[in-house]
Amino acid sequence: MMMHTTNRIQLGVLGADDSLAIIQEVAKTYEELELIPIVYWEEDEIPDQIAPYLSRAQMWLFSGQVPYSIARQQFQLDRPMFYTRHSGEGLYKALLYWVHEHGLKVSDISFDTLSPDVVATFLADVGISSTVHLKHYNGVIRSEELVNYHKSLWETGVTRASITCLRSAHLQLEKLGLPSMHLTPTHSEVRQVLENIIQTHELLQSRDAQVVVQLLAMNSAQIATSATDYDATVQRYARYVHGSTQKLGASQWMVYATRGAIEEITHNFSRRPNLPFLADIEAQITVGIGIGTTVLAAEERAHFALNEASSLGAGQWVCVLENNHVISPLSSDEDTLSYPLSHGDYEDLSHAISLSALTLTKLASVLDKQGSTRLTAHELAKHLHILPRSARRILLTLEAHGLATVVGEETPYQRGRPRKIYDIRLE
């Protein structure tokens, strides 16, 4: 048994038996790691399997997105979590077996879990044009659903074999007599995630007291760039800020980096980074930045920031500082609004009128920023990054409840109707 060494990373590793064996084999070459191996056979076992090791493991690695997603749902782990991802590498091995041993074509095989972009890129690389039977999903899925998918294609004669990324589904398919293979992570895929884990640990140990987490989401509907190109861009960004990455889904990534690096490229959290390699896809990157004294606190703030950035539209960046102050969006000193994450001061007022406490908090911050209780719908729309008609609805609601009064009008420089000036009193 490996002796415990205090300066080594205590890495909890939960996975299927075959995937866990590969991870353990690769991890032997990393002196920085001390593994806490945990094998599981059924997804329902995962919470009970993890629970005894929650206080011991400093970081976690899961053999696939399903156990990773289950752990995230069941536990709010205040430490980084990673999982092995399937790239096109593993497909070479699996397809070579089916082609060489059984003479099958790609269209004879059903797949699951893999990203459609990963499969498409793989086929393009090897010059194959073929129908692909693929069940892709994000997060948690029950093995029975995957078994039924592969089984229905096989029983109707559409396919002759299956490749699954879930070991429990593979074992069930074998019991049914359906030719099946479990797609395990390759050595290089495991090596990449282990190096990411080590780098993340070093980052967290090197900073003074704060953790910075960024969530990056790509809007693939508005750009023809493939997921592979997205991955490359995010990896390059992470290297630029001396950080590390973990992919959370088909189009979302988590980046750990030092506060100093992010402060520098965002001009103290006031502007989006002006980086040449982001220019082509800048409008498709939406980013939430969270800062905290723990990983969990930083992640929670990053999730709020990403939701806020998404509400403003693709390409926006929002930050939540360690004091729970929101900076939204990162654009320029003139356009950026800073407001508290907590909306407790306006909860009662929100219940009395049809405006959210968040909207009222932002409105109060706008008034405080400009040093006046008076503004027009046009000014409010600009500050909140919303449409003028939405700003007018807010002001009309306030007026109906006696919280805003029309005190004058201003004539715009260009043609148009005079704009009403409202005096707002939220107290």
Side-chain angles (χ1 to χ4, degrees):
M1 179 178 294
M2 188 177 294
M3 296 296 293
H4 175 77
T5 309
T6 56
N7 61 349
R8 301 174 73 187
I9 303 169
Q10 301 297 298
L11 178 63
V13 183
L14 182 137
D17 58 333
D18 50 359
S19 296
L20 187 58
I22 295 172
I23 294 173
Q24 289 178 295
E25 181 181 352
V26 176
K28 290 178 182 178
T29 62
Y30 293 91
E31 296 181 354
E32 304 96 326
L33 300 174
E34 181 171 341
L35 301 194
I36 305 171
I38 308 167
V39 66
Y40 82 96
W41 297 96
E42 298 289 342
E43 283 66 42
D44 292 340
E45 303 172 0
I46 290 176
D48 290 338
Q49 294 280 64
I50 293 176
Y53 304 97
L54 290 178
S55 60
R56 179 181 167 191
Q58 296 172 288
M59 303 175 76
W60 283 92
L61 173 61
F62 300 88
S63 66
Q65 72 179 53
V66 170
Y68 168 85
S69 299
I70 290 174
R72 286 192 71 90
Q73 290 180 2
Q74 292 291 323
F75 305 102
Q76 285 191 315
L77 297 179
D78 190 18
R79 56 211 66 193
M81 301 167 61
F82 295 82
Y83 68 94
T84 56
R85 298 190 61 82
H86 295 290
S87 65
E89 294 180 17
L91 279 177
Y92 284 100
K93 174 184 175 182
L95 289 176
L96 180 61
Y97 168 80
W98 288 119
V99 171
H100 185 270
E101 296 296 325
H102 300 278
L104 301 186
K105 297 182 295 185
V106 172
S107 57
D108 293 327
I109 305 170
S110 55
F111 306 82
D112 65 45
T113 309
L114 298 166
S115 164
D117 286 312
V118 167
V119 177
T121 301
F122 166 78
L123 294 178
D125 286 344
V126 297
I128 295 176
S129 177
S130 174
T131 300
V132 177
H133 307 288
L134 170 65
K135 185 173 182 62
H136 173 67
Y137 58 91
N138 289 314
V140 178
I141 193 170
R142 296 200 62 84
S143 58
E144 291 80 6
E145 186 175 343
L146 295 182
V147 170
N148 290 335
Y149 169 74
H150 294 294
K151 180 183 175 184
S152 63
L153 291 172
W154 180 63
E155 289 181 334
T156 56
V158 176
T159 61
R160 297 167 58 190
S162 66
I163 295 176
T164 178
C165 296
L166 202 59
R167 174 65 161 158
S168 55
H170 171 236
L171 294 175
Q172 292 180 51
L173 289 167
E174 283 192 329
K175 287 182 179 180
L176 294 172
L178 195 160
S180 177
M181 175 179 286
H182 178 215
L183 190 64
T184 55
T186 65
H187 284 66
S188 61
E189 289 166 344
V190 172
R191 193 172 297 109
Q192 181 180 8
V193 72
L194 290 180
E195 291 176 355
N196 227 2
I197 287 170
I198 293 171
Q199 184 179 9
T200 300
H201 183 264
E202 292 173 349
L203 283 171
L204 297 179
Q205 294 298 310
S206 67
R207 61 196 66 175
D208 293 332
Q210 292 184 335
V211 178
V212 178
V213 171
Q214 292 177 275
L215 290 175
L216 290 80
M218 299 290 187
N219 185 358
S220 56
Q222 295 185 9
I223 189 170
T225 307
S226 70
T228 302
D229 294 326
Y230 281 148
D231 273 325
T233 299
V234 174
Q235 294 292 341
R236 184 175 181 184
Y237 172 73
R239 290 194 299 271
Y240 185 86
V241 297
H242 305 290
S244 60
T245 65
Q246 162 69 349
K247 192 168 183 180
L248 303 182
S251 59
Q252 191 173 114
W253 294 258
M254 182 179 292
V255 174
Y256 297 95
T258 62
R259 175 173 181 143
I262 306 303
E263 277 184 328
E264 181 178 352
I265 66 171
T266 60
H267 299 273
N268 197 26
F269 306 113
S270 65
R271 300 177 185 178
R272 287 177 299 185
N274 182 20
L275 303 175
F277 59 85
L278 294 180
D280 291 341
I281 59 172
E282 183 178 13
Q284 283 73 44
I285 303 176
T286 305
V287 180
I289 302 173
I291 303 173
T293 55
T294 66
V295 171
L296 182 59
E299 283 191 22
E300 289 176 345
R301 292 184 177 112
H303 279 289
F304 179 91
L306 181 61
N307 288 337
E308 182 68 7
S310 298
S311 71
L312 299 176
Q316 300 293 350
W317 292 52
V318 171
C319 176
V320 180
L321 301 176
E322 70 281 3
N323 62 359
N324 283 335
H325 236 69
V326 183
I327 303 176
S328 173
L330 306 192
S331 52
S332 68
D333 293 336
E334 179 182 354
D335 297 332
T336 298
L337 183 65
S338 176
Y339 57 88
L341 184 60
S342 173
H343 321 308
D345 293 343
Y346 296 102
E347 291 292 346
D348 292 340
L349 182 57
S350 174
H351 292 315
I353 62 177
S354 58
L355 292 176
S356 69
L358 175 58
T359 296
L360 293 170
T361 300
K362 291 181 180 180
L363 177 58
S365 297
V366 170
L367 300 178
D368 182 65
K369 178 179 180 179
Q370 67 176 18
S372 171
T373 59
R374 298 186 177 189
L375 51 66
T376 65
H378 179 78
E379 292 170 332
L380 181 59
K382 180 180 178 182
H383 284 296
L384 297 187
H385 296 267
I386 58 178
L387 295 174
R389 64 171 177 268
S390 298
R392 283 192 290 270
R393 182 187 64 80
I394 293 173
L395 293 172
L396 289 173
T397 300
L398 293 173
E399 184 181 20
H401 289 83
L403 300 172
T405 306
V406 177
V407 294
E409 292 182 340
E410 68 173 17
T411 302
Y413 293 110
Q414 298 178 348
R415 294 180 180 178
R417 294 179 297 176
R419 296 168 179 165
K420 294 181 180 180
I421 302 174
Y422 290 85
D423 185 66
I424 302 171
R425 305 288 177 176
L426 296 180
E427 299 179 356

